[in-house]
Amino acid sequence: MDNMEQIKISRIMIAAPSSGSGKTLITCGLLNLLKKKGRKPASFKCGPDFIDPMFHSKVLGTKSRNLDTFFTDPDTTRSLLAKNAQDADLAVLEGVMGYFDGMGIDSSRAGASDLASVTDTPVLLIVPAKGVSRSVLPMIRGFLDFQEKPCIRGLILNRVSAGLYPRMKEMIEREIGIPVVGYVPVMKDCALESRHLGLLMPDEIASFQDKLDRLADILDQTLDLDQILEIAAGAPALPVHPPMKHCAAAGPGENTLKKTAVQGGDFVDPERNSQGTGGPGKLRIGLARDEAFCFFYADNLDLLREMGAELVPFSPIHDVCLPDNLDGLLLHGGYPELYGKELSENVSMRESIREAVLGGLPTLAECGGFLYLHRTLTDPDGNAWPMAGVFPENAFYTGHLTRFGYVTLTGGTMFGSDVGEIRSHEFHYYESENPGDTFLARKPAGNRSWRCVRSTDSLYAGFPHLYFYANPKVAAAFIKRCAEHYDNRNL
């Protein structure tokens, strides 16, 4: 790999044979234990999940990041891992679904095994061990033999008793030859609750920090942390392109803007002299952020900041109106359906957002943010709550998962620019009377496709969630439109 830097990063992935095997619980417990031991871990979630990284963030007190090999090519994936782990002494990756599960029944692409392979990350496989003894051997052997690239380096036995564990460990290591680095007993009081979009939010779980502390104390006794750290330290150096090294440190107008300008076409530098201020100005982009709007890719927000944006948080639930002097607006996903009454009763905010969006303020509204722009939002109990009213149609609960998984968007424009294909994903139980028809969404596996997204020169509104590193032209198109709004505002 010519022109690559070799960056040494201790790293480990927690994976499992299936969903519901305890990956999030064990990952959070391990992260909390590492913190208690004085380590500085960085955490990552495989795939497009929003909620699991929030649990990681709750443990670490810093943002977790996503790594997704459907969204990004191998070089970019490795570079994002290196960039986001640069201040840590250990990277902990959490897998997704079953270890070999990917974007389709015939492919492991974008799954945990794919990410482990792309990043050369050693894997600890969680082995369900309740109610079995010798039967774990063929299951473990099957996982080891099925690997195209041997990344599984150790096992954690889950839901096994302290009395049985030593004998199972000895049997597995004797007959298969892979280290067993510990076990997790049955812990009913540490279970994490769920709802329709996944786990409950960390702040909603009673005594969440107490659960994490109890879990860390238990894992301190049942995991061989020294052996885990040794396996993590054995990860090979990560080959990374040098430009990403500069991307993390570049301020507005420096390498990040140059790199994005090349990838995204024409770019208007937001750092300029403004006739309105008499000095350098900065794009002010409003970021809806509260209980109802809480699904973010931290890398997206970081990239916008690196491109010259100042993100101005506000709450559609609690604030009276939008912040002053905005050049753009971000309405991300979350749970607006759970706060229909509160959002509806904030009439001044609804009017402020409707006037801004209809007035041409560049706006990116994804999923929950898209729902908020409708005339009404009907909750699961049948209550139709008035929303911002940018669109005259209604949004409603379907009672089932309407769309789920990766899609590729083609055929449309983003803020007036042709940005090419956009890899994104959907996950929603809600539908719109008019979901839009600007783009054709096509599943990467199979032949399913449908029209979606309402897009104009100043608006992207639809169910697909966007990850900017999948196509940096999307961020560039949004920032360019925001920069034009800035210029008009300061004439």
Side-chain angles (χ1 to χ4, degrees):
M1 297 183 182
D2 295 335
N3 300 319
M4 290 278 194
E5 292 186 9
Q6 300 293 322
I7 299 179
K8 185 65 176 175
I9 301 172
S10 292
R11 55 194 184 276
I12 203 82
M13 175 186 285
I14 306 298
S18 67
S19 296
S21 298
K23 291 188 299 292
T24 298
L25 186 71
I26 293 172
T27 301
C28 284
L30 177 60
L31 290 169
N32 200 25
L33 176 59
L34 289 167
K35 277 188 63 180
K36 288 175 175 290
K37 297 290 187 179
R39 304 300 295 253
K40 292 176 58 180
S43 63
F44 298 86
K45 174 63 180 181
C46 173
D49 188 277
F50 290 107
I51 299 176
D52 284 355
M54 294 184 192
F55 280 84
H56 298 181
S57 299
K58 188 73 174 179
V59 173
L60 296 172
T62 60
K63 270 293 173 188
S64 179
R65 297 294 192 268
N66 294 75
L67 293 171
D68 192 307
T69 53
F70 173 71
F71 287 152
T72 54
D73 59 47
D75 286 346
T76 302
T77 303
R78 289 188 289 264
S79 294
L80 287 168
L81 171 56
K83 172 188 173 184
N84 289 316
Q86 62 184 344
D87 296 324
D89 56 19
L90 174 70
V92 178
L93 287 62
E94 180 186 343
V96 61
M97 299 188 294
Y99 181 59
F100 294 110
D101 297 331
M103 66 174 61
I105 195 168
D106 296 320
S107 174
S108 294
R109 186 188 169 198
S113 61
D114 190 29
L115 178 61
S117 177
V118 164
T119 60
D120 267 331
T121 296
V123 174
L124 298 180
L125 184 70
I126 299 170
V127 178
K130 184 179 180 181
V132 298
S133 57
R134 192 169 179 79
S135 292
V136 301
L137 296 175
M139 184 188 73
I140 295 168
R141 174 56 65 193
F143 270 79
L144 295 177
D145 290 346
F146 196 74
Q147 299 179 99
E148 292 185 12
K149 187 173 185 177
C151 294
I152 299 174
R153 298 285 193 271
L155 309 174
I156 297 174
L157 304 185
N158 193 23
R159 298 171 66 83
V160 66
S161 69
L164 182 59
Y165 170 70
R167 288 178 288 162
M168 291 192 70
K169 172 182 170 67
E170 190 276 332
M171 174 188 68
I172 293 168
E173 292 182 339
R174 181 186 71 246
E175 301 206 21
I176 295 184
I178 187 171
V180 180
V181 300
Y183 74 100
V184 181
V186 175
M187 297 180 294
K188 294 181 180 179
D189 57 337
C190 289
L192 301 178
E193 304 166 63
S194 299
R195 63 160 161 248
H196 65 280
L197 290 186
L199 293 169
L200 291 177
M201 306 298 280
D203 290 333
E204 297 177 291
I205 298 177
S207 305
F208 182 73
Q209 192 60 52
D210 289 343
K211 287 185 177 183
L212 290 180
D213 289 339
R214 170 170 161 69
L215 180 58
D217 290 342
I218 292 172
L219 296 185
D220 192 19
Q221 301 299 315
T222 64
L223 296 183
D224 187 339
L225 188 58
D226 290 338
Q227 190 173 21
I228 292 173
L229 293 175
E230 182 180 347
I231 293 172
L238 202 63
V240 174
H241 277 298
M244 185 59 70
K245 173 184 177 182
H246 304 300
C247 182
E254 297 177 37
N255 294 322
T256 301
L257 291 181
K258 294 174 184 176
K259 182 171 184 288
T260 306
V262 171
Q263 295 174 328
D266 293 338
F267 182 81
V268 179
D269 189 344
E271 291 283 351
R272 61 177 68 78
N273 287 332
S274 164
Q275 296 178 9
T277 62
K282 202 167 193 179
L283 302 183
R284 285 172 52 85
I285 297 178
L287 174 65
R289 191 168 205 160
D290 58 16
E291 304 95 306
F293 302 99
C294 49
F295 290 174
F296 307 98
Y297 288 128
D299 282 326
N300 281 4
L301 304 184
D302 288 346
L303 183 57
L304 293 177
R305 293 186 185 100
E306 291 167 8
M307 294 171 67
E310 175 190 359
L311 300 183
V312 186
F314 71 96
S315 169
I317 292 178
H318 304 291
D319 293 336
V320 175
C321 62
L322 286 172
D324 293 334
N325 300 321
L326 293 182
D327 301 300
L329 180 62
L330 295 172
L331 296 169
H332 288 288
Y335 290 109
E337 67 272 22
L338 301 182
Y339 300 93
K341 181 175 185 293
E342 293 84 349
L343 290 168
S344 178
E345 290 178 345
N346 194 345
V347 177
S348 61
M349 177 60 79
R350 291 195 286 115
E351 292 177 346
S352 177
I353 289 179
R354 180 174 65 252
E355 291 173 3
V357 176
L358 293 178
L361 180 68
T363 300
L364 194 155
E366 299 176 346
C367 203
F370 174 48
L371 296 176
Y372 179 72
L373 296 184
H374 284 69
R375 184 174 70 87
T376 65
L377 175 62
T378 301
D379 66 21
D381 296 324
N383 302 305
W385 301 104
M387 293 288 114
V390 171
F391 305 129
E393 293 86 6
N394 304 305
F396 55 92
Y397 182 62
T398 66
H400 59 87
L401 193 56
T402 303
R403 302 286 186 200
F404 168 69
Y406 295 115
V407 295
T408 298
L409 305 179
T410 59
T413 60
M414 180 69 66
F415 298 100
S417 298
D418 181 1
V419 299
E421 291 188 351
I422 305 172
R423 292 184 297 278
S424 57
H425 78 100
E426 294 191 28
F427 193 109
H428 52 96
Y429 284 71
Y430 273 72
E431 193 50 88
S432 167
E433 292 176 345
N434 182 2
D437 61 1
T438 301
F439 288 92
L440 178 69
R442 186 179 299 278
K443 298 289 290 183
N447 297 315
R448 286 183 294 161
S449 64
W450 58 91
R451 306 299 303 188
C452 64
V453 179
R454 303 173 74 145
S455 179
T456 69
D457 287 353
S458 63
L459 176 66
Y460 168 94
F463 285 112
H465 290 278
L466 306 175
Y467 182 70
F468 291 158
Y469 280 98
N471 183 346
K473 293 180 182 180
V474 171
F478 177 56
I479 286 291
K480 180 180 178 182
R481 190 62 70 195
C482 293
E484 291 171 357
H485 188 277
Y486 170 98
D487 286 339
N488 293 330
R489 180 167 63 84
N490 288 285
L491 287 177

